Structure formats: structure tokens, C-alpha cells
Amino acid sequence: MTREQIIERLSLSDAASLTALYAEANAVKAAAIGNKVFLRGLIEFSNICGKDCYYCGLRHENKNVTRYELSDAEVLAAVGFAWKNRYGSVVLQSGEQQSARFTRRITHLLREIKSLTGNEVGITLSCGEQTADTYGEWFDAGAHRYLLRIETSNRALYYKLHPDDAKHSFETRLASLKLLRAAGYQVGTGVMIGLPFQTAEDLADDLLFFQSMDVDMVGMGPYLEHSQTPLYEYRHLLTPPEKRLEMALKMVATLRLLMPTINIAATTALQVLHPEGREMAVMAGANIIMPNMTLPEHRPDYLIYEHKPGVNDDAAVSKSKLEQNLRHAGIDIGYGEWGDSQHFKLALPDQVRK
């Protein structure tokens, strides 16, 4: 697919063309990797962050955030819930920290999770930029997928979203993705859709960036503003929420056509713009959903954006609502399955793949 063809798809606006695009993407998904959606129990174990990204409510300079860090017992209890309810995988997500203590703690948690579940639960990490040694240590301890979102592949736009300093380097972000590949992970990244200053051409280049980086999974969703961030000043430049939802679905569908065998997440941000936003993304080509396992008392403190859904629900309520919605949409769940990226598996040597 050429850049021009991608832009053409992202520019569709009439209902019939959009319906056809989503149906084509869903058919390609079914043929390439099947129709199941895989669940990743999301555990937001800490909102402590050393970064000052202009779009994020967890940014270090936001003094209105109540900072927290779950205990090991709380993390393992959430993992236990996911395991007993046949979620094939969990995601450990936090603000970005770099310290020997943080590295050791994640290593310990990974080993404890593997021991607790008898290696039955797959583990994705989303803990930001780290050194090659740290990535390797965590991989050896049991993590096998890593999500590190680039947020935009346009370097100039990147620095409208981040300070231009050593702590927020576009080049470091790119290098970290390559370190993850070298360490053996299934590599995931993603972007925000509908940002101020962003164009359809930028989004087309984002999709081509995923292809050029040969990623195994993508988590991308609509940009949602937070009033305690510098980017909030430019909210007048945003397209209406329904248009951001539409563009996000077009991005999911076009990416599925471009990279048929990767994992694509239906992100929680979609649910803010439409109660069934995640299910709509699944029907447009996505195959991963990450229900929240974070303790209810801490959910309101992990707000990258405002109006996050389900902040008052516990894990059982989140599970029940999600499964009911998926059943209503006729979507099958891959219970007890890791749901690894077929793209990653196909790249392995035959003897390893077997």
C-alpha cells in the first residue's frame, strides 16, 4: 500500500465507504489470524513518573496527582484474579522510572508472577525507556512483550508533545524500540490520533513507520485532553470527538490491511468517545483488549487523560461489563491463551516456532 493509498483511506468520510473499509479489515483479520479477541489484564502498578510529556496527566510537574505504587501483594492479587478468570496475559504498566530499585522490583515481580501461575500467564511490560541490560534482565525473568509508544513518528510534532531535552529524546525513543527487538521481545508501539497540529499525512507516515520498524503489536487511540497539561492550551485545534473516533477506527482498519498478522489493541480511550468504542475497533480489525485490573482506590490517580471510563469499577465489574459487550457484539474471546503476535511467530526460525 502506497502512502497515497493510505491517505486516501484515512480521508474517507461517507458511511458506505467507511462500512466497506471496516468490513474489509475485519475479513483480512479473520483470514490472517482468526476472529478471536485476546484479553490482557491491565495492572497500572505505579503512577510515579520522571517525564514531563506535555499531553499526559501523570507528568512529573503535575502536582495535583496523588502518587502511588502498589505493593507486591496487590500486584500479585490482581494477577491471580486475571489468571483465575482465564485471562491469558497481563500487562504491567507504570510511569517512566529509571533506577536500580525499579529494575530489581520488576524483575522480582516477573519471577513471582511466573511462579504463581505456573508460567500459564503471558506478561507484557509497559515501563518506558530503559537500558539494554534492563530490557535483557526483564526478558530473562519472564516478560516477552513490551509496549513503548512513540506517540508520533514525526520528529517535529514529537517536540510539540515533549520538552526538547535529554530526558525526552526522539532518537532515544527510536533506539529503545531497537533495543527491545535485540533483546527478543515482541515489540509494540503506538501513536495518538487527532492531536493538535497533526495531519492525515502524519498519520499515514505513522502507519508506514510501524511497517518499517517491523513491529509485532500496536496500541493506538484517540488523543484525549487533560486540563492539567500544557497541550490543553491547544484544545481549540481539536476535531470533534466523533471525528477523532472515526479517524481512530480508520487507522485500525488501514493498519490491519497494511500489516495483517500483527496484534492491534482496541484501546480504552476509544470507550471515552463511544460506550462501545472498543468493540467497534474489534469489528474494524483490532484483536486485543486490555481490561483494567487496577485496584479501584487507585484508578482515579492513573489518568493520562480525563474522563477515563470505569474508574469506580473493581476488576470483577470491569470483567463482567466487557464480556457482556463482547457477547452482544458476537465477538469470541480467546480464554486462557497468550494470543502472541502471529507476525512475531512467522518471523521465527522453524525449529523455534515449533
Side-chain angles (χ1 to χ4, degrees):
M1 197 184 303
T2 66
R3 185 174 186 263
E4 289 70 27
Q5 289 171 325
I6 292 172
I7 294 170
E8 180 181 352
R9 284 168 171 79
L10 297 182
S11 301
L12 295 173
S13 59
D14 64 284
S17 296
L18 292 173
T19 298
L21 174 65
Y22 303 153
E24 181 185 8
N26 203 33
V28 167
K29 176 183 69 174
I33 60 175
N35 269 321
K36 287 182 182 176
V37 62
F38 299 101
L39 304 181
R40 314 262 193 258
L42 176 62
I43 305 168
E44 299 157 333
F45 67 90
S46 174
N47 68 351
I48 298 170
C49 190
K51 293 289 189 77
D52 273 315
C53 305
Y54 295 150
Y55 60 87
C56 181
L58 300 187
R59 63 195 309 265
H60 181 71
E61 288 302 310
N62 184 3
K63 305 305 181 185
N64 295 317
V65 177
T66 301
R67 302 293 174 176
Y68 75 89
E69 190 170 88
L70 298 186
S71 68
D72 289 2
E74 288 172 326
V75 172
L76 293 174
V79 171
F81 177 89
W83 179 42
K84 290 173 183 176
N85 284 278
R86 301 177 62 212
Y87 285 25
S89 297
V90 295
V91 181
L92 299 186
Q93 185 176 72
S94 71
E96 293 206 31
Q97 304 178 48
Q98 287 186 330
S99 70
R101 173 194 169 277
F102 186 72
T103 298
R104 287 194 303 269
R105 179 159 192 248
I106 300 301
T107 301
H108 173 72
L109 282 171
L110 291 169
R111 290 171 176 160
E112 288 295 304
I113 291 169
K114 288 299 181 181
S115 176
L116 173 69
T117 67
N119 198 36
E120 289 185 4
V121 171
I123 306 175
T124 302
L125 291 179
S126 182
C127 300
E129 296 165 6
Q130 304 293 336
T131 66
D133 287 344
T134 295
Y135 287 144
E137 180 177 324
W138 290 347
F139 184 83
D140 292 341
H144 63 286
R145 292 186 291 254
Y146 203 106
L147 178 63
L148 183 68
R149 288 171 44 137
I150 189 75
E151 303 304 1
T152 176
S153 63
N154 181 327
R155 189 181 188 278
L157 181 56
Y158 187 90
Y159 286 114
K160 291 182 183 294
L161 309 179
H162 306 83
D164 188 353
D165 59 28
K167 192 184 287 187
H168 304 81
S169 166
F170 181 74
E171 284 70 29
T172 299
R173 204 71 167 179
L174 288 178
S176 295
L177 289 169
K178 295 174 182 177
L179 290 176
L180 288 166
R181 172 70 70 211
Y185 288 93
Q186 295 174 46
V187 178
T189 191
V191 296
M192 288 183 288
I193 300 163
L195 287 160
F197 318 111
Q198 189 181 56
T199 66
E201 288 76 13
D202 291 329
L203 291 170
D205 289 338
D206 288 338
L207 297 182
L208 291 170
F209 169 80
F210 300 150
Q211 187 181 51
S212 69
M213 291 294 290
D214 198 31
V215 299
D216 304 300
M217 54 186 187
V218 169
M220 58 182 176
Y223 165 69
L224 301 170
E225 57 270 38
H226 193 296
S227 60
Q228 301 299 312
T229 63
L231 203 61
Y232 191 70
E233 175 185 349
Y234 300 98
R235 60 192 181 280
H236 63 283
L237 299 177
L238 297 174
T239 57
E242 62 271 16
K243 286 298 181 182
R244 273 178 275 166
L245 173 64
E246 181 182 286
M247 183 60 83
L249 295 175
K250 288 190 286 188
M251 284 284 284
V252 167
T254 306
L255 178 59
R256 178 58 68 194
L257 300 179
L258 191 66
M259 302 183 74
T261 57
I262 68 169
N263 281 344
I264 303 176
T267 61
T268 306
L270 292 161
Q271 201 179 354
V272 177
L273 300 182
H274 193 287
E276 297 180 2
R278 292 184 300 182
E279 293 78 10
M280 294 166 71
V282 170
M283 300 306 293
N287 68 316
I288 302 293
I289 292 182
M290 297 182 287
N292 201 331
M293 304 282 104
T294 307
L295 295 172
E297 56 264 39
H298 293 303
R299 291 191 189 191
D301 298 321
Y302 202 98
L303 296 182
I304 295 172
Y305 50 83
E306 292 175 323
H307 310 299
K308 186 177 180 180
V311 294
N312 297 315
D313 296 342
D314 63 16
V317 172
S318 295
K319 172 182 180 293
S320 177
K321 287 181 178 179
L322 172 62
E323 291 177 338
Q324 182 178 355
N325 288 344
L326 291 175
R327 281 196 299 269
H328 183 261
I331 298 167
D332 293 331
I333 300 174
Y335 284 111
E337 299 181 52
W338 284 14
D340 280 340
S341 166
Q342 290 297 315
H343 180 82
F344 180 82
K345 290 180 179 178
L346 291 169
L348 294 173
D350 288 341
Q351 65 271 24
V352 176
R353 194 181 313 136
K354 293 176 182 176

